[in-house]
Amino acid sequence: MGRKFFVGGNWKCNGTTESVKKLVEVLNQGEVPSEDIVEVVVAPPFVFLPLIKSLLRSDFAVAAQNAWVKKGGAFTGEISAEQLVNLGIPWVILGHSERRALLNESNEFVGAKVAYALEQGLKVIPCVGETLEQREAGKTMDVITDQLKAIADKVEHWENVVLAYEPVWAIGTGKVATPDQAQEVHVDIRKWIAANVSEDVASQVRIIYGGSVNGGNANELAHQPDVDGFLVGGASLKPEFIDIIKAAE
Ligand SMILES: O=C(COP(=O)(O)O)NO
């Protein structure tokens, strides 16, 4: 398989200039495995992207938490993929469940965003995942399949894609998926990609888990064969993010 472990930190809408500087100081001092073992990306709010890029250790990369669906222009309040490229920001998270829910980002809209960001040369972390209601109704893979199809319909090249499976019921709740639950969905995602994209992409693409990951549960989750890393929310704002990165060892 040989998929390099990937740990993303999604800072969401958090931080002040002072607090993010302090957080970067902690991250810069953290002892973590080398870059050939783990890839680390942190995603600050837009307003801190240049600052964090200038302060962050060179073995960590920076991501935006969103990007507009087409070339910039008369789209008040939006940030374009071109502007992220211009700032030297290599990664972008797209289709996070909070944006899908709060801003009604449809599967098709997310798929178009992923395709456009890749076309502009960004590396992309598309997010998929089901709500508790959908899981309890046995619809988990129906939902995720629809989300994946909307992406696969528009994406030709997958080498710059890291897929994040983030069950909505685990995000911010402290109710982390069990290792078996995470592994089961990751396997089903990989099987879907094998059948609908290619076996090669399915074996290469990294599928990372997000939803209440912390320093206490990261190791067991990391040892699941199809869990290739994490997209961490709350715990990425704390020193324990370093412990989560160490789960790559
Ligand atoms: O939304 C998340 C996960 O958030 P938590 O780790 O706080 O559950 N990652 O993008």
Side-chain angles (χ1 to χ4, degrees):
M1 283 180 287
R3 299 185 293 264
K4 187 189 290 188
F5 207 71
F6 183 100
V7 179
N10 177 4
W11 296 3
K12 302 190 181 182
C13 189
N14 291 298
T16 62
T17 302
E18 294 70 31
S19 71
V20 298
K21 281 182 174 176
K22 286 199 182 83
L23 178 56
V24 166
E25 269 175 38
V26 170
L27 296 180
N28 284 352
Q29 288 156 24
E31 282 188 28
V32 297
S34 66
E35 287 180 273
D36 57 348
I37 291 173
V38 61
E39 185 167 12
V40 181
V41 176
V42 296
F46 282 129
V47 291
F48 299 126
L49 280 172
L51 173 66
I52 300 305
K53 184 175 182 297
S54 70
L55 297 175
L56 193 63
R57 53 196 287 174
S58 61
D59 57 340
F60 287 13
V62 182
Q65 298 175 17
N66 183 44
W68 186 228
V69 69
K70 60 174 78 169
K71 183 171 171 48
F75 307 107
T76 302
E78 292 297 336
I79 306 276
S80 72
E82 298 93 333
Q83 289 168 324
L84 296 176
V85 171
N86 178 254
L87 278 179
I89 307 299
W91 287 92
V92 62
I93 299 169
L94 291 172
H96 191 280
S97 63
E98 290 154 1
R99 297 190 61 83
R100 290 175 186 265
L102 299 171
L103 300 165
N104 288 320
E105 291 197 348
S106 68
N107 291 344
E108 289 64 31
F109 188 59
V110 171
K113 282 191 165 192
V114 172
Y116 188 73
L118 289 169
E119 284 158 21
Q120 301 312 308
L122 289 171
K123 293 181 271 192
V124 179
I125 307 167
C127 301
V128 297
E130 81 287 3
T131 65
L132 184 60
E133 188 183 4
Q134 290 163 337
R135 173 169 279 265
E136 288 175 344
K139 300 280 185 206
T140 295
M141 274 319 288
D142 296 325
V143 169
I144 293 173
T145 296
D146 289 345
Q147 293 170 333
L148 289 172
K149 186 177 183 316
I151 294 166
D153 282 351
K154 294 193 170 71
V155 170
E156 273 178 64
H157 305 292
W158 287 71
E159 60 274 10
N160 287 331
V161 174
V162 172
L163 270 177
Y165 166 55
E166 297 202 306
V168 178
W169 47 271
I171 295 175
T173 61
K175 280 188 290 189
V176 66
T178 66
D180 288 347
Q181 284 175 322
Q183 172 64 12
E184 181 185 1
V185 174
H186 283 222
V187 165
D188 286 347
I189 289 174
R190 209 175 293 282
K191 281 179 183 168
W192 188 91
I193 292 174
N196 294 277
V197 180
S198 76
E199 289 281 354
D200 190 41
V201 169
S203 66
Q204 301 289 323
V205 70
R206 287 172 291 177
I207 306 170
I208 63 177
Y209 168 79
S212 294
V213 173
N214 60 41
N217 58 38
N219 270 308
E220 201 181 356
L221 281 162
H223 286 96
Q224 298 306 307
D226 286 280
V227 174
D228 303 317
F230 301 118
L231 187 52
V232 185
S236 70
L237 295 165
K238 302 172 188 169
E240 80 179 282
F241 187 58
I242 296 295
D243 298 329
I244 294 168
I245 296 167
K246 285 178 178 170
E249 283 173 323

